[in-house]
Amino acid sequence: MATVKNETVMKRQPATGTGRLQFLDQFRGFALLGLPFVNVLALWLIATPIVSLFYLSSLLMLGHIRIGAKVLHPLQAYGRMALTNYIGQTVFLVGIQRLILNGSPSTYVVSTLVSLGIVVFQIIISNLWMRWFQYGPLEWLWRCGTYWTLVPIRQKTGNPQA
C-alpha cells in the first residue's frame, strides 16, 4: 500500500489591495450594506461618466453667466500655461516630498492641502506671467521647437492681458 504524504493545501488568500484587485476591493465593502458587488460596480460604471458630464456642463454654463465668467477668468492664464503648470506641479511635489516631508508618507489631508496650495500658487503666478508674456516658458520652448525658429515671447505693447 502506498502512503500519502500529509500535504497542506494552500488556500487562495484574499486580495491584499495590490494592482487591479485593489480597484475591485473597494466595491466588495458594499456587500456589508446588502448591496451585491456586481450591482455596485455597474452603478459606479454608469454614474461616473454622468457625474463627470454634470461637472463639465456646469462649468461651461457658469462661463456664460457674467459673474461666472469673472470667477473663472483667473483660470484662463492657468490653462494657457498648462504644460508649464503640469511639469511645475511635479517638480514642486517631488521637492516638497523630499525636502520638507523627508520622503516619509503623508496623510490625505496633508497631500490635499499641499496640492491645493500649489494650484493656488500656480494660478497667481500664471496670471502675473501672462501680463508680460504671450506663452508660458515651456509652451514657448515647445512652439520654438515646432516652428524651428525663435518665436517672440513678449506681450505686444498696448495689449496687456489682465
Side-chain angles (χ1 to χ4, degrees):
M1 249 191 216
T3 59
V4 178
K5 293 182 181 177
N6 186 6
E7 296 182 32
T8 57
V9 178
M10 295 292 290
K11 292 184 179 179
R12 185 167 186 257
Q13 298 294 322
T16 58
T18 58
R20 229 174 56 186
L21 295 177
Q22 182 180 11
F23 169 75
L24 296 175
D25 281 345
Q26 65 184 341
F27 298 108
R28 289 197 176 105
F30 286 103
L32 299 174
L33 301 174
L35 299 173
F37 168 74
V38 177
N39 290 346
V40 173
L41 181 60
L43 178 67
W44 180 81
L45 289 172
I46 292 169
T48 301
I50 293 171
V51 171
S52 299
L53 285 173
F54 169 76
Y55 285 137
L56 180 62
S57 60
S58 297
L59 283 173
L60 289 173
M61 288 174 54
L62 188 63
H64 291 305
I65 303 170
R66 184 180 303 231
I67 193 163
K70 284 185 180 182
V71 169
L72 295 176
H73 182 72
L75 296 178
Q76 286 181 350
Y78 185 69
R80 289 184 62 202
M81 292 179 56
L83 178 62
T84 300
N85 287 322
Y86 177 73
I87 301 298
Q89 286 173 0
T90 304
V91 170
F92 284 138
L93 287 172
V94 168
I96 288 171
Q97 180 68 26
R98 295 208 178 189
L99 298 175
I100 296 175
L101 300 175
N102 298 324
S104 63
S106 59
T107 63
Y108 288 123
V109 173
V110 171
S111 298
T112 303
L113 292 176
V114 168
S115 298
L116 284 175
I118 289 172
V119 169
V120 168
F121 174 75
Q122 286 183 325
I123 290 172
I124 293 168
I125 295 300
S126 295
N127 280 287
L128 291 173
W129 179 272
M130 294 308 275
R131 286 185 183 192
W132 293 285
F133 301 102
Q134 293 183 31
Y135 315 108
L138 294 181
E139 289 79 10
W140 176 75
L141 285 173
W142 188 271
R143 190 169 292 238
C144 289
T146 300
Y147 296 131
W148 287 98
T149 184
L150 282 178
V151 177
I153 190 173
R154 303 277 292 163
Q155 196 69 266
K156 294 180 177 87
T157 57
N159 187 18
Q161 292 183 4

